[in-house]
Amino acid sequence: MRPVVLVAPSGPEERGATTAPALQLLGGSRLVDRLLGTLAEVCPPPAVVVAPSAIAVRLEGTLPHGAVLVPRDGSRRDQILAALEACDEPALLLHDAERALTPASAHREVMAALVDGVDAVVPTVAMTDSVKEAGSAGLRNIDRSTLAVLQSPRLLRREALRAATARMAGAVGTGADAPEDEILAVLAGGGDVRTMHGSHDGFAVVDRLTLWQAQISLGLARDTTSRQGLARRT
């Protein structure tokens, strides 16, 4: 199998952005570099790093562990297609660069779960935020016990991933909205997806709050959530 890192810009609509959450420094190392270190430990082939061209310029010549940089603009589907073109391994271990703190143990468990008959493996964690459905009659509570958050890494067989990209483009189906996630696309095609228990450290670092959470996770900052607020002097 081949590890693949997908680098997203700061926001989904920010075309031409020259920065990304994965370029944030955490304890002196960029998030993407921390992730590449973990991948080198658990999956020896050099990782393929797919990034928007404006961001790839900043990554060129700086990636550790022999990682191969592939510039590709466009959607997540476009990045996955670029990864498929860049390597020929029978399975790809897709990892979102923003989920760089996912522990090596989680990677190993996902890799071990791709047995015969399984098309894809993905770690999940329970939904903890309140979720509501907005409709013409107002808001309706959604039972969180039926929901899960998909994490990284996602391990998919090559043929299943190729078929998923077609469904993500709407090329396959019955006119329904095309899935925007490769795992959902595999499920839409009747594929066998195995879920694993995810890690609380596998959250996505996408803003200042989650960067602070990452610092706490690594012991680089104190958790002050239990402290009472300080009254302002007047």
Side-chain angles (χ1 to χ4, degrees), residues 131-155:
V131 180
K132 298 183 184 298
E133 180 181 31
S136 58
L139 298 178
R140 182 177 68 88
N141 287 327
I142 301 296
D143 182 4
R144 289 180 297 184
S145 66
T146 64
L147 303 176
V149 177
L150 303 183
Q151 293 188 318
S152 295
R154 291 107 174 272
L155 181 56

Side-chain angles (χ1 to χ4, degrees), residues 25-43:
L25 288 176
L26 192 60
S29 299
R30 298 178 304 187
L31 282 169
V32 66
D33 297 336
R34 287 180 174 273
L35 175 56
L36 290 172
T38 301
L39 291 173
E41 176 185 345
V42 301
C43 194

Side-chain angles (χ1 to χ4, degrees), residues 106 109-115 118-126 146-151 153-155 181 183-184 187 191-199:
E109 290 176 6
V110 167
M111 293 165 63
L114 191 67
V115 297
V118 174
D119 297 303
V121 182
V122 59
T124 67
V125 292
T146 64
L147 303 176
V149 177
L150 303 183
Q151 293 188 318
R154 291 107 174 272
L155 181 56
D181 184 280
I183 294 296
L184 299 182
L187 288 170
D192 187 347
V193 177
R194 174 169 293 188
T195 60
M196 311 287 296
H197 289 297
S199 168

Side-chain angles (χ1 to χ4, degrees), residues 36-206:
L36 290 172
T38 301
L39 291 173
E41 176 185 345
V42 301
C43 194
V48 171
V49 178
V50 186
S53 55
I55 295 173
V57 171
R58 298 186 58 185
L59 293 174
E60 189 173 4
T62 68
L63 294 176
H65 307 289
V68 179
L69 179 62
V70 177
R72 179 61 61 94
D73 294 317
S75 64
R76 182 180 182 87
R77 174 182 177 272
D78 294 322
Q79 288 194 325
I80 292 174
L81 287 173
L84 286 167
E85 295 167 2
C87 54
D88 56 7
E89 281 79 2
L92 272 64
L93 186 70
L94 299 183
H95 210 303
D96 296 308
E98 301 78 34
R99 298 183 182 273
L101 300 190
T102 303
S105 58
H107 290 77
R108 295 190 179 97
E109 290 176 6
V110 167
M111 293 165 63
L114 191 67
V115 297
D116 291 343
V118 174
D119 297 303
V121 182
V122 59
T124 67
V125 292
M127 174 72 73
T128 56
D129 293 334
S130 177
V131 180
K132 298 183 184 298
E133 180 181 31
S136 58
L139 298 178
R140 182 177 68 88
N141 287 327
I142 301 296
D143 182 4
R144 289 180 297 184
S145 66
T146 64
L147 303 176
V149 177
L150 303 183
Q151 293 188 318
S152 295
R154 291 107 174 272
L155 181 56
L156 300 95
R157 297 193 188 278
R158 186 181 190 86
E159 59 272 19
L161 185 56
R162 176 69 71 177
T165 59
R167 294 187 183 89
M168 291 167 75
V172 177
T174 58
D177 292 339
E180 297 182 358
D181 184 280
E182 64 277 4
I183 294 296
L184 299 182
V186 172
L187 288 170
D192 187 347
V193 177
R194 174 169 293 188
T195 60
M196 311 287 296
H197 289 297
S199 168
H200 290 298
D201 289 331
F203 60 90
V205 179
V206 295

Side-chain angles (χ1 to χ4, degrees), residues 212 216 222-228:
W212 176 66
I216 292 173
R222 290 187 304 162
D223 184 352
T224 59
T225 55
S226 61
R227 293 181 57 188
Q228 294 182 352

